[in-house]
């Protein structure tokens, strides 16, 4: 037996953790460090006319202010280059960054951020993705549907024709914040040789380095991203947030600049779990055979795509559930609104779909009077089965899991495992 | 009246990105004092992936766990990694670390074979020693071999490794493709008590059975399962960021309700350990999947208890009471 693999060993950093000696984002400090505050839009949809920073700059202790004008290339995004570092001509949600301030104290930075004047012309806004899909809806970007997908497997009409019963339901989910215990924290230092060092609490430091290179138009050889100990992420720390603002302020002032998000900023100006609207329709025979399943998903992207397309593809592939269904059709739409930005969050689109397909599967089982455990044992995928996307499963374990769960929880099923 | 019910839910979930390449790279070296250093781009974010990678390295290199120095968190110093996301670190970064360690080990065994006067394929490593598999008494300390490799032979025992799951893109018309290399599966049962006067739901117990391939560290797997369930309870019952006309109404922990220890019921978890041939030591992953079945299992249990199906998350007391009222009216007809 291995002395290591399969063993209940303590965390590699356990002693530092339990003695409170781990260095988190907030613990990183440099001599001469300035404090940053970011001014947010505070309105959901508007044409941005002017950002007047003069009153902020006049406050003693304010060492530098940056706006969209200071960003060399003001767009980033993993699949769609639609998100600005700071709003340029348009405000698309309340959390849009407008300007960054660096000052000798956090209090002064806060005061200065509030002193920035934003001149704007409000635009009609849209908050419901179903409304935003309509042709006459206010446009968040040029087209409110940045992407859509379809999965077709078998013959859906034939499948419904074979069914004894057809069950249709609509499920919806809410906005959820990650609430990682440690808020985002960043410290940037642009040194006299032109090298930029950024400490930041992220799950993907290489992606942040690459995005910083693009928006700052700097070669990667001059960018070093360091990560301290990180207090949770759950997908909320998957991408660049305000690192470029902090970096630009360090370039402008020649001093290290630090920013730590407040809990309120975590709720108002970082990504959330996408709310989904989901339509499920399933055909089933009285013996418990599923003949067809049709799914339509509408995902509220919020103001920018961020991880919206990638989460939707993951939801799409899994939306029919881990069941053997010969005829499937899945449609999925990503829709811009003036809500907070949907991003990555633990489960990446599948918790939304999973909530719907599992409650719906329960409704289907009950509609034919079959025990929900027995119904799942009968229909669950096994090795060799094909997913709606055409992939053949290898080493599927759900049948073993259900047997174990049935005995462990005392949820007995008539006729053993139902097969 | 308080009514009890039980509900269940299944899930399956992939390891890694959908279709797109998401490689991990790693570097490993034996040090002349018998310790080893492993460089990885995979960031520990509190979930304990660093522990798992150190365990994979320790076993592969034959070095005690506490003599592995795991270095990460510097884009100019450590090898590339696609990130601590997508439940991918144990499987993908773990494979990269294992490959890097195997390359370092093959140099170590070459040098040790020379020192012992045997052929390298008859040798293996464990607990700080290189030993002859058929005759373990014939052995030499890894520290001595590592030192000889560097100082005597000029061939430091080090290696690198990369791993990227084999996937294809999804077809634009049909959605067909092989977007993932491996999946994990799970199912949970929730037992709840619903107060028909107040609409409040108490989760009494969760049974959770998860497949993560071989569990490299069962304690960490259980920790992930329990943490995921806590998050799933919040998703199902309480968490709701209220955004009205683009404005967040509850941006504080005082009114955005995450579960506390008091809201988490006894959890009985089990791991179905079926090794995945492509995983390091047969391991897959557990990060995100632990959360997935919890909310639907609870909502199905609510239905079982009181006969109302909440089709809009979260299942707040207000929604449950409104549905109960509707049910009463229908019955009265």
């Amino acid at each position: 037996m291995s002395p290591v693999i399969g063993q209940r060993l303590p965390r590699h950093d356990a002693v530092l953790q339990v003695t409170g000696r781990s260095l988190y984002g907030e613990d990183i400090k440099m001599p001469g460090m300035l404090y940053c505050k970011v001014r947010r839009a505070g309105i959901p949809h508007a044409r941005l006319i002017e950002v007047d920073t003069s009153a902020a700059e006049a406050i003693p202790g304010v060492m530098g202010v940056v706006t969209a004008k200071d960003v060399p290339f003001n767009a980033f995004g993993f699949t769609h280059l639609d998100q600005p570092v700071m709003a340029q001509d348009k405000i698309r949600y309340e959390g849009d960054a407008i300007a960054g301030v660096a000052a000798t104290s956090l209090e002064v930075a806060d005061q200065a951020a509030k002193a920035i004047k934003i001149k704007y012309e409000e635009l009609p806004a849209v908050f419901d993705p179903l409304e935003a899909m309509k042709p006459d809806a206010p446009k968040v970007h040029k087209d409110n549907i940045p992407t859509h997908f379809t999965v077709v497997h078998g013959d859906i009409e034939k499948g419904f024709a074979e069914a004894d019963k057809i069950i249709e339901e609509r499920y919806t989910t809410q906005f959820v914040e990650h609430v990682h215990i440690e808020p985002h924290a960043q410290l940037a230092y642009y040194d006299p040789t032109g090298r930029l060092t950024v400490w930041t609490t992220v799950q993907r430091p290489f992606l942040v380095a690459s995005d910083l290179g693009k928006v700052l138009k700097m070669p990667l050889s001059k960018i070093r991203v360091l990560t301290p100990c990180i207090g949770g992420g759950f997908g909320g720390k998957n991408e660049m947030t305000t690192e470029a603002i902090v970096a630009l302020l360090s370039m402008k002032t020649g001093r290290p600049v630090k920013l730590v998000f407040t809990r309120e900023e975590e709720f108002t100006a970082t990504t959330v779990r996408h709310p989904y609207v989901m339509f499920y329709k399933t055909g089933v025979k009285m013996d418990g055979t599923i003949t067809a399943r049709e799914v339509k998903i509408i995902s509220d992207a919020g103001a920018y795509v961020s991880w919206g397309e990638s989460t939707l593809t993951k939801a799409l592939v899994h939306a029919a559930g881990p069941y053997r269904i010969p005829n499937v059709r899945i449609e999925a739409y990503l829709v811009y609104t003036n809500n907070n930005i949907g991003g990555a969050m633990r489960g990446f689109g599948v918790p939304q779909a999973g909530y719907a397909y599992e409650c719906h599967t329960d409704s289907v089982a009950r509609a034919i009077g079959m025990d929900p455990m027995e119904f799942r044992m009968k229909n669950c995928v096994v090795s060799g089965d094909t997913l709606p996307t055409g992939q053949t499963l290898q080493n599927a374990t759900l049948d073993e899991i259900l047997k174990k769960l049935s005995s462990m929880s005392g949820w007995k099923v008539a006729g053993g495992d139902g097969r | 009246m308080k009514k009890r019910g039980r509900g269940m839910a299944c899930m399956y979930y992939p390891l890694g990105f959908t279709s797109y390449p998401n490689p991990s790279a790693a570097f490993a070296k034996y040090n002349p004092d018998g310790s080893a250093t492993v460089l990885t781009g995979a960031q520990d974010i509190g979930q304990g992936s660093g522990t798992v990678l150190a365990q994979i390295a320790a076993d592969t290199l034959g070095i005690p766990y506490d003599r592995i120095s795991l270095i990460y968190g510097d884009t100019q110093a450590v090898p590339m990694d696609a990130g601590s996301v997508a439940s991918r670190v144990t499987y993908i970064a773990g494979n990269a670390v294992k490959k890097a360690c195997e390359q370092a080990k093959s140099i170590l065994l070459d040098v040790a074979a020379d020192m012992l006067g045997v052929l390298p394929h008859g040798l293996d490593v464990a607990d700080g020693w290189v030993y002859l598999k058929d005759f373990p008494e014939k052995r030499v300390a890894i520290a001595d071999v590592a030192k000889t490799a560097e100082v005597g032979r000029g061939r430091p025992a080090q290696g690198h490794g990369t791993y990227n799951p084999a996937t294809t893109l999804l077809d634009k018309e049909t959605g067909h493709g092989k977007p993932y290399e491996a999946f994990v599966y799970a199912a949970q049962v929730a037992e709840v008590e619903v107060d028909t006067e107040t609409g409040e739901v108490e989760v009494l117990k969760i049974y959770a059975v998860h497949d993560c391939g071989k569990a490299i560290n069962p304690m960490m797997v259980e920790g992930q399962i329990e943490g995921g369930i806590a998050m799933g309870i919040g998703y199902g019952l309480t968490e709701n960021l209220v955004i009205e006309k683009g404005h967040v109404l509850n941006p504080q922990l005082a009114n955005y309700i995450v579960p506390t220890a008091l809201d988490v019921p006894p959890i009985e978890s089990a791991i179905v350990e079926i090794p995945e041939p492509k995983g390091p030591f047969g391991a897959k992953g557990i990060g995100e999947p632990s959360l997935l079945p919890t909310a639907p299992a609870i909502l199905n249990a609510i239905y079982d208890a009181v006969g109302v199906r909440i089709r809009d998350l979260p299942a707040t007391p207000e929604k449950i009471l409104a549905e109960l009222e509707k049910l009463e009216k229908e019955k009265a007809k």
Side-chain angles (χ1 to χ4, degrees):
Chain A
M1 195 178 76
S2 165
V4 194
I5 301 298
Q7 300 303 313
R8 298 171 167 267
L9 297 175
R11 284 184 61 96
H12 66 296
D13 56 357
V15 173
L16 292 178
Q17 294 281 8
V18 299
T19 54
R21 303 289 173 177
S22 293
L23 292 180
Y24 287 89
E26 166 74 18
D27 301 320
I28 311 294
K29 293 183 172 73
M30 276 184 85
M33 187 173 86
L34 300 174
Y35 298 84
C36 174
K37 261 285 171 192
V38 172
R39 173 64 187 267
R40 305 283 175 180
I43 37 160
H45 202 195
R47 196 167 68 81
L48 184 55
I49 297 165
E50 199 193 350
V51 181
D52 179 0
T53 61
S54 55
E57 280 165 295
I59 296 172
V62 172
M63 307 304 282
V65 181
V66 292
T67 65
K69 280 186 252 172
D70 299 287
V71 187
F73 181 76
N74 196 13
F76 70 102
F78 188 68
T79 57
H80 294 65
L81 275 181
D82 64 348
Q83 188 172 350
V85 171
M86 286 176 275
Q88 188 113 29
D89 338 287
K90 212 180 160 186
I91 289 162
R92 294 187 180 88
Y93 90 110
E94 285 204 3
D96 260 334
I98 301 293
V101 178
T104 48
S105 77
L106 195 54
E107 292 69 29
V108 173
D110 194 38
Q111 192 194 343
K114 285 177 182 140
I116 291 166
K117 291 187 188 80
I118 307 171
K119 203 170 151 195
Y120 60 86
E121 177 199 330
E122 212 161 331
L123 295 169
V126 62
F127 306 106
D128 177 348
L130 296 177
E131 287 298 316
M133 288 175 89
K134 293 178 180 166
D136 57 345
K139 291 279 177 282
V140 182
H141 294 263
K142 266 183 197 148
D143 181 353
N144 280 353
I145 305 176
T147 190
H148 77 275
F149 299 98
T150 312
V151 172
V152 186
H153 177 63
D155 182 341
I156 193 81
E157 300 307 326
K158 183 173 148 273
F160 282 123
E162 286 166 3
D164 293 326
K165 278 199 175 177
I166 291 173
I167 295 93
E168 277 187 82
E169 288 178 301
R170 177 187 195 265
Y171 286 92
T172 51
T173 65
Q174 76 277 44
F175 291 99
V176 179
E177 161 60 20
H178 308 78
V179 200
H180 29 71
I181 206 157
E182 181 201 27
H184 288 75
Q186 299 151 2
L187 191 156
Y189 181 49
Y190 185 73
D191 74 24
T193 67
R195 285 174 191 275
L196 174 69
T197 303
V198 180
W199 283 262
T200 180
T201 54
V202 290
Q203 297 169 241
R204 300 186 66 175
F206 289 89
L207 176 68
V208 171
S210 150
D211 277 347
L212 276 174
K214 286 175 195 160
V215 300
L216 300 174
K217 288 193 173 173
M218 272 176 77
L220 272 181
S221 61
K222 292 197 182 294
I223 299 173
R224 184 180 186 195
V225 172
L226 298 167
T227 45
C229 193
I230 292 173
F234 308 116
K237 296 173 178 171
N238 268 28
E239 65 277 299
M240 185 170 77
T241 50
T242 48
E243 287 89 345
I245 298 175
V246 183
L248 287 165
L249 284 167
S250 182
M251 289 169 162
K252 204 161 197 172
T253 61
R255 291 169 66 167
V257 178
K258 183 171 176 177
L259 170 62
V260 180
F261 282 34
T262 61
R263 184 57 67 183
E264 184 162 340
E265 281 174 302
E266 291 291 339
F267 279 110
T268 55
T270 70
T271 58
V272 291
R273 189 190 290 289
H274 299 87
Y276 279 11
V277 178
M278 295 166 283
F279 300 90
Y280 271 78
K281 180 179 170 187
T282 297
V284 65
K285 288 186 175 174
M286 290 311 286
D287 68 358
T289 308
I290 306 176
T291 60
R293 179 165 278 178
E294 192 172 14
V295 185
K296 188 175 171 184
I297 301 175
I298 291 127
S299 168
D300 182 350
Y304 305 104
V305 167
S306 179
W307 301 105
E309 178 172 310
S310 349
T311 49
L312 194 58
T313 52
K314 204 165 254 187
L316 176 87
V317 175
H318 296 87
Y323 303 109
R324 203 180 316 106
I325 311 176
N327 307 295
V328 175
R329 184 182 165 83
I330 307 165
E331 264 183 280
Y333 296 85
L334 185 69
V335 186
Y336 284 125
T337 64
N338 297 111
N339 290 322
N340 291 30
I341 309 163
M345 185 173 178
R346 197 178 196 175
F348 217 64
V350 186
Q352 294 94 315
Y355 152 64
Y357 75 61
E358 277 306 78
C359 288
H360 178 66
T361 295
D362 230 57
S363 294
V364 174
R366 287 173 188 275
I368 57 162
M370 194 179 269
D371 176 81
M373 178 78 83
E374 190 185 351
F375 186 72
R376 286 175 173 89
M377 282 178 168
K378 185 179 164 60
N379 287 294
C380 80
V381 288
V382 295
S383 295
D385 281 345
T386 300
L387 295 180
T389 42
Q391 181 169 359
T392 306
L393 291 172
Q394 292 166 5
N395 310 308
T397 57
L398 190 53
D399 49 346
E400 291 297 322
I401 285 169
L402 288 172
K403 274 184 220 164
K404 173 89 185 163
L405 184 67
S406 166
S407 67
M408 198 167 101
S409 66
W411 189 326
K412 299 277 178 275
V413 171
D417 68 358
R419 277 179 192 278
Chain B
M1 198 198 301
K2 286 185 176 177
K3 290 186 170 176
R4 289 191 173 193
R6 69 178 177 187
M8 67 168 300
C10 302
M11 75 101 219
Y12 70 133
Y13 199 76
L15 310 171
F17 294 8
T18 308
S19 302
Y20 290 99
N22 58 125
S24 286
F27 173 84
K29 62 169 181 166
Y30 286 99
N31 298 317
D33 67 344
S35 68
T37 305
V38 175
L39 272 59
T40 168
Q43 176 71 36
D44 195 308
I45 52 171
Q47 87 282 40
S49 62
T51 306
V52 166
L53 295 181
Q55 284 181 257
I56 289 170
D59 192 276
T60 312
L61 295 168
I63 299 269
Y65 168 69
D66 59 6
R67 302 205 69 197
I68 299 288
S69 177
L70 191 78
I71 309 292
Y72 51 84
D74 183 341
T75 57
Q76 290 282 12
V78 298
M80 183 272 166
D81 191 279
S84 292
V85 299
S87 303
R88 59 181 293 287
V89 178
T90 298
Y91 184 75
I92 299 174
N95 265 322
V97 165
K98 189 158 182 281
K99 283 182 165 189
C101 293
E102 280 165 354
Q103 199 179 75
K105 177 180 156 184
S106 84
I107 296 171
L108 188 90
L109 294 190
D110 263 0
V111 174
D114 214 20
M115 290 168 75
L116 292 167
V118 298
L119 290 171
H121 67 257
L123 294 174
D124 208 346
V125 291
D127 207 26
W129 296 91
V130 183
Y131 64 95
L132 199 55
K133 278 186 268 189
D134 297 340
F135 181 49
E137 283 173 36
K138 193 166 180 71
R139 62 179 194 173
V140 56
I142 284 177
D144 291 338
V145 186
K147 196 190 290 173
T148 304
E150 272 188 33
V151 184
R153 309 293 150 87
R155 237 187 122 195
Q158 61 182 42
H160 68 272
T162 64
Y163 192 81
N164 182 55
T167 59
T168 73
L169 292 175
L170 297 173
D171 180 85
K172 282 206 169 70
E173 302 290 315
T174 64
H176 282 216
K178 183 201 168 190
Y180 311 108
E181 191 172 83
F183 293 88
V184 293
Y185 303 80
Q188 296 178 3
V189 165
E191 291 173 355
V192 306
E193 188 170 79
V194 184
D195 188 326
T196 56
E197 303 288 318
T198 65
E200 275 174 303
V201 176
E202 190 184 346
V203 182
L204 302 171
K205 175 121 189 186
I206 303 272
Y207 299 91
V209 182
H210 286 255
D211 143 39
C212 62
K214 170 73 187 168
I216 302 282
N217 187 326
M219 179 173 70
M220 311 275 285
V221 173
E222 285 161 16
Q224 283 289 318
I225 293 173
E226 288 163 15
I229 286 170
M231 201 172 226
I233 291 170
Y235 189 47
L237 295 178
T238 59
E239 292 187 47
N240 185 16
L241 192 67
V242 184
I243 304 181
E244 217 174 84
K245 293 199 187 315
H247 187 69
V248 177
L249 297 183
N250 55 338
Q252 302 101 16
L253 288 168
N255 47 19
Y256 180 93
I257 309 301
V258 292
T260 68
L262 293 175
D263 302 304
V264 179
I267 293 165
E268 199 175 322
S269 64
I271 308 166
V272 168
E273 263 187 313
I274 299 174
E276 161 61 44
K278 291 189 280 297
F281 298 100
K284 292 197 274 188
I286 189 71
E288 295 161 277
S290 56
L291 150 88
L292 288 163
T294 310
I298 292 170
L299 272 89
N300 287 337
I302 294 171
Y303 181 87
D304 190 53
V306 294
V308 300
R309 188 162 296 290
I310 304 301
R311 296 187 179 85
D312 175 49
L313 283 184
T316 57
E318 292 81 0
K319 287 180 200 169
I320 292 170
L321 281 182
E323 288 298 318
L324 281 171
E325 222 166 278
K326 258 195 244 169
L327 198 66
E328 284 303 310
K329 275 182 195 158
E330 277 167 34
K331 272 185 194 163
K333 271 179 198 168

